[in-house]
């Protein structure tokens, strides 16, 4: 596979709440989690794909995914493919799920593989295979059944991941160690060795479980870290949510329930 086949044009817009616009030539495609889609031009077709898309060898979709097969297991089995079935260049945009930065990853510069946090993946262009990376040393029971699961991005195309809050980039020398909160990892190059350690002596009741485990990353390689993982943001939001029965009708809001509906909260 030559790089020429997988060069795509993209542009990242915004500062704190970013989105990426990917330009697709005819027959080119991009895959994404359905929840990150923002907008697209006419002549871009959406289709949910299962597994690596190889069962649809005929037609446009087969051509798009023949370059880079995707193998997904577990929760991430379904993804949405967006492909240009028209004439000329078309654009499709994907938005950050919460404040942070979008990080473009050119896999041809990363030795063909990059490991990222499951929640960090935003979208990937043709020539990228998305799969699940398991650490052999970690039992699934360790994290309440969820396990310490990372995604692997393989191939020679472009992928985009999202870092919450402020992103830190650390280049580790051979043997250099960095300890990171597991949720704060965005991703790292394939040369980085990683493990998860248990921190003893911290009472679960005081810290609510956070900080009991941390990742140990050992160089050489590049590590990307986020200051605001979504789990931490969600935890703070849930902690300050109204307690008790009944739905909160909007403190200080004249509109009350109607205001909630206008805000996009349409749960009656």
């Amino acid at each position: 596979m030559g790089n020429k086949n997988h060069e795509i044009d993209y542009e990242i817009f915004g500062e704190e709440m970013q989105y990426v616009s990917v330009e697709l030539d005819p027959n080119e495609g991009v895959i994404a989690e359905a929840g990150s889609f923002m907008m697209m031009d006419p002549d871009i077709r959406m289709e949910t794909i299962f597994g690596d898309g190889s069962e649809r060898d005929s037609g446009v979709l087969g051509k798009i995914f023949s370059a880079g097969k995707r193998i997904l297991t577990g929760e991430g089995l379904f993804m949405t493919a967006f492909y240009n079935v028209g004439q000329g260049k078309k654009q499709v945009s994907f938005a950050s799920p919460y404040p942070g930065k979008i990080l473009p990853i050119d896999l041809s510069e990363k030795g063909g593989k990059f490991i990222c946090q499951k929640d960090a993946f935003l979208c990937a262009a043709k020539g990228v295979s998305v799969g699940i990376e398991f650490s052999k040393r970690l039992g699934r029971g360790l994290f309440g059944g969820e396990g310490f699961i990372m995604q692997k991005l393989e191939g020679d195309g472009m992928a985009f991941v999202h870092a919450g809050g402020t992103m830190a980039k650390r280049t580790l020398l051979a043997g250099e160690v960095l300890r990171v909160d597991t949720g704060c990892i965005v991703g790292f190059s394939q040369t980085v060795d990683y493990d998860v350690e248990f921190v003893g002596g911290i009472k679960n009741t005081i810290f609510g479980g956070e900080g009991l485990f941390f990742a140990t990353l050992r160089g050489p390689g590049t590590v990307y870290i986020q200051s605001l993982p979504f789990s931490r943001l969600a935890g703070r939001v849930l902690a300050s949510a109204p307690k008790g029965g009944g739905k909160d009708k909007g403190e200080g809001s004249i509109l009350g329930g109607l205001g909630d509906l206008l805000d996009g909260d349409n749960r009656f």
Side-chain angles (χ1 to χ4, degrees):
M1 290 193 296
N3 279 346
K4 293 290 174 204
N5 298 338
H6 305 314
E7 281 179 3
I8 61 154
D9 295 317
Y10 69 90
E11 193 173 350
I12 294 171
F13 297 89
E15 295 299 325
E16 283 78 29
M17 287 294 292
Q18 295 188 325
Y19 72 92
V20 58
S21 177
V22 178
E23 190 172 79
L24 300 176
D25 291 328
N27 293 343
E28 266 190 342
V30 62
I31 53 172
E33 299 280 2
S36 60
F37 168 72
M38 180 177 162
M39 60 182 171
M40 64 185 180
D41 288 340
D43 290 331
I44 289 184
R45 187 183 298 167
M46 288 174 68
E47 195 161 343
T48 301
I49 59 169
F50 177 79
D52 64 3
S54 61
E55 71 276 12
R56 305 165 190 258
D57 284 333
S58 58
V60 179
L61 197 62
K63 275 187 225 160
I64 288 169
F65 290 103
S66 62
K69 285 205 169 183
R70 308 167 41 255
I71 299 165
L72 282 175
T73 57
E75 282 182 321
L77 208 54
F78 290 96
M79 276 205 171
T80 305
F82 299 81
Y83 51 103
N84 181 359
V85 296
Q87 306 298 313
K89 296 176 182 291
K90 306 289 176 187
Q91 292 189 328
V92 57
S93 299
F94 303 94
S96 294
Y98 58 101
K101 294 287 181 199
I102 294 173
L103 173 66
I105 303 285
D106 184 346
L107 288 175
S108 64
E109 296 174 359
K110 299 283 183 189
K113 183 178 178 181
F114 185 78
I115 314 291
C116 71
Q117 175 96 279
K118 201 158 60 82
D119 295 335
F121 175 74
L122 198 61
C123 61
K126 182 173 72 164
V128 177
S129 156
V130 183
I132 303 291
E133 174 90 353
F134 292 100
S135 173
K136 299 176 187 66
R137 285 164 292 190
L138 304 169
R140 281 186 65 81
L142 202 63
F143 292 85
E146 174 71 1
F148 182 63
I149 297 174
M150 303 290 281
Q151 278 188 342
K152 57 182 176 184
L153 308 175
E154 294 178 296
D156 63 357
M158 287 294 302
F160 299 89
V161 296
H162 175 258
T166 301
M167 186 180 68
K169 178 182 178 181
R170 289 285 299 268
T171 302
L172 302 179
L173 302 172
E176 190 178 355
V177 171
L178 184 67
R179 289 191 167 98
V180 184
D181 181 281
T182 52
C184 290
I185 297 173
V186 176
F188 44 84
S189 45
Q190 60 175 327
T191 52
V192 173
D193 184 59
Y194 68 101
D195 205 350
V196 172
E197 291 184 33
F198 176 72
V199 189
I202 299 178
K203 287 244 188 309
N204 197 16
T205 50
I206 300 173
F207 290 95
E210 193 183 324
L212 287 174
F213 297 95
F214 56 76
T216 302
L217 305 173
R218 187 182 303 273
T222 307
V223 179
Y224 298 92
I225 301 137
Q226 57 187 349
S227 68
L228 182 64
F230 181 71
S231 56
R232 194 172 286 183
L233 174 66
R236 298 291 185 273
V237 171
L238 284 173
S240 59
K243 305 290 191 293
K247 187 174 179 297
D248 177 52
K249 285 297 175 193
E251 233 174 57
S253 166
I254 302 167
L255 293 170
L258 179 59
D260 290 338
L261 182 61
L262 295 175
D263 288 341
D265 185 349
N266 51 11
R267 291 168 295 142
F268 292 105

